[in-house]
Amino acid sequence: MVGPYRGLFDRPGVKAFVLAGFVGRMPMSMLGIGVILLISTLTGSYATAGAVAATTNVAFAVAAPLSGRLVDRFGQGRVIPPFAVVNAVALVALMGFAGWGLPDWTFYASGLVVGATSLSIGSMVRARWSVIYGGSGRLHTAFAFESVADEVVFVTGPALVTVLATSVNPYAGLIVALLCMLAGSLALATQHDTQPPVQEIRSSAGSPILIPGIALLACVSLALGAIFGSVDLITVAFADEHGVKGVSGFLLAAFAGGSMVSGLWFGSRNWRIPLRKRFVRALGLFVVGLVPIMFIGSPWIMAAALFLAGFAISPTLITVFSITERMVPQSLLTEGMAWISTAIGFGVALGSWAGGALTESHGASSAYVFSVCAAALAVAVGIGGSGLLRLPEAPSPSQT
């Protein structure tokens, strides 16, 4: 599996932006569960915790395409710093409001600002890869690596924030997330050599979401986000119900770990199957993998089940971003990828809300039904609209 990744980082500046992007993305796996652990610990309500997390994700989902267009218009170096500073101030305010026992609306207000100023660092890193390897088969491998990097973040982030929040204090995980955001995003902003060139956006240019194929991918990504958001919250509650709340981060790490392994394998293959078919098959695998978690009563068996269920995540997201890169004009690429992040963000918000409500009313195991239904919906939409994703195949990874 290692062979195709050799030489991927030889271009000048690549290692630096990959490292900065990795650190800057850590909050995306830490923020949601960190907010849930903080609010649920201080208020005793998973419904409130899920609602605050959902508010943050909705705000990110709404703002991501707008910030993406700003990045395309003015460049990463000019847009990242002010967003990062405001984001840090808002997150500090959220922790302060929770600690001081202020009314719930203050949680929502500060969470709204946190979400609105959270940048899609992954989209910016993928945009840099697109400039370096655009039109080459190596772009598939680069996107596969980015998916693996995402999953490494999701393996380490939840475990780290859970240990910090349960063993140190409820704020510790969010403090580390804040420091990672500042260090990674500001480091990325200073790397101008690999930054995508700012291109003129014609006033008549429409949003990428108006492209039918991108709209379809956004709908599927919405359902995928609902899976991620609901599994995150329900798994924390599942561990709590079994008296092992401290291992909830490790359960979520198992989910991401399965995706990490499959991403390495998927990116190493020279695929001859069209992107559209790869996309649909990965969605189908997702449904099959999620079904068993509804019937498991042991946290240790759940860890194994979540690991297997995670196998479909990376192949699905790799194909989603690959299709997006080929359908969206270069001058709107960051915004196009941000729309996918937006859809996932809305889905995560929906999943967090639904997962919290169903957990409180029916228990964690029963609440997993929502996750399975979201996966089934993603398959239905993906298969039904797959005709919009017919594309000429890109060069193989061996064609550099």
Side-chain angles (χ1 to χ4, degrees):
M1 291 193 296
V2 177
Y5 295 95
R6 292 195 183 102
L8 194 63
F9 310 99
D10 290 346
R11 299 287 183 91
V14 168
K15 294 177 183 177
F17 81 68
V18 166
L19 179 60
F22 178 82
V23 175
R25 269 181 289 185
M26 284 298 293
M28 76 179 183
S29 70
M30 301 175 70
L31 188 60
I33 189 171
V35 168
I36 290 170
L37 288 169
L38 177 68
I39 301 299
S40 64
T41 298
L42 297 179
T43 68
S45 173
Y46 278 109
T48 300
V52 174
T55 299
T56 302
N57 281 295
V58 167
F60 169 76
V62 171
L66 302 177
S67 61
R69 180 162 283 233
L70 287 175
V71 168
D72 287 328
R73 178 66 180 85
F74 298 105
Q76 296 180 10
R78 294 178 62 185
V79 174
I80 291 176
F83 272 75
V85 171
V86 175
N87 184 263
V89 172
L91 186 54
V92 170
L94 173 59
M95 290 187 285
F97 296 156
W100 297 326
L102 296 185
D104 288 357
W105 69 264
T106 62
F107 307 162
Y108 296 112
S110 53
L112 189 71
V113 179
V114 170
T117 54
S118 294
L119 293 170
S120 182
I121 298 296
S123 297
M124 296 183 195
V125 173
R126 286 180 172 90
R128 293 185 185 228
W129 281 119
S130 297
V131 171
I132 294 172
Y133 289 123
S136 164
R138 275 190 173 267
L139 189 59
H140 164 79
T141 306
F143 279 2
F145 171 80
E146 285 305 312
S147 183
V148 171
D150 283 343
E151 300 314 327
V152 171
V153 167
F154 277 100
V155 167
T156 57
L160 176 61
V161 74
T162 302
V163 169
L164 291 172
T166 57
S167 302
V168 182
N169 68 62
Y171 307 93
L174 289 177
I175 291 173
V176 172
L178 185 153
L179 295 176
C180 287
M181 181 277 297
L182 284 174
S185 60
L186 294 179
L188 189 67
T190 63
Q191 298 172 31
H192 301 291
D193 291 343
T194 55
Q195 179 178 290
V198 175
Q199 301 186 36
E200 181 181 356
I201 301 176
R202 298 178 181 177
S203 59
S204 59
S207 172
I209 197 64
L210 300 178
I211 301 172
I214 300 301
L216 172 72
L217 293 177
C219 291
V220 172
S221 297
L222 178 71
L224 294 177
I227 299 171
F228 303 148
S230 59
V231 168
D232 276 2
L233 189 140
I234 296 167
T235 300
V236 173
F238 175 87
D240 194 13
E241 286 181 359
H242 289 79
V244 287
K245 186 175 182 179
V247 306
S248 57
F250 295 97
L251 292 178
L252 295 176
F255 191 43
S259 179
M260 181 179 67
V261 172
S262 68
L264 280 171
W265 171 79
F266 190 79
S268 69
R269 295 290 303 275
N270 182 3
W271 292 96
R272 299 185 183 277
I273 303 172
L275 273 172
R276 178 176 61 89
K277 291 185 178 179
R278 278 180 257 164
F279 173 65
V280 172
R281 292 178 184 182
L283 289 175
L285 182 62
F286 220 156
V287 177
V288 174
L290 284 171
V291 169
I293 68 176
M294 297 186 294
F295 308 103
I296 294 173
S298 164
W300 315 116
I301 297 176
M302 179 64 79
L306 287 171
F307 179 80
L308 294 175
F311 269 54
I313 298 176
S314 278
T316 303
L317 295 180
I318 290 167
T319 52
V320 166
F321 282 110
S322 295
I323 293 170
T324 301
E325 189 272 338
R326 295 175 59 193
M327 298 186 76
V328 174
Q330 184 68 38
S331 63
L332 296 172
L333 184 57
T334 306
E335 182 186 352
M337 292 188 176
W339 273 109
I340 302 301
S341 298
T342 282
I344 293 174
F346 271 120
V348 169
L350 174 63
S352 296
W353 170 79
L358 291 172
T359 295
E360 290 206 347
S361 60
H362 299 289
S365 294
S366 297
Y368 278 124
V369 173
F370 175 84
S371 306
V372 176
C373 290
L377 178 62
V379 172
V381 174
I383 293 176
S386 61
L388 299 174
L389 305 178
R390 295 183 183 277
L391 299 167
E393 283 302 289
S396 69
S398 62
Q399 295 173 300
T400 57

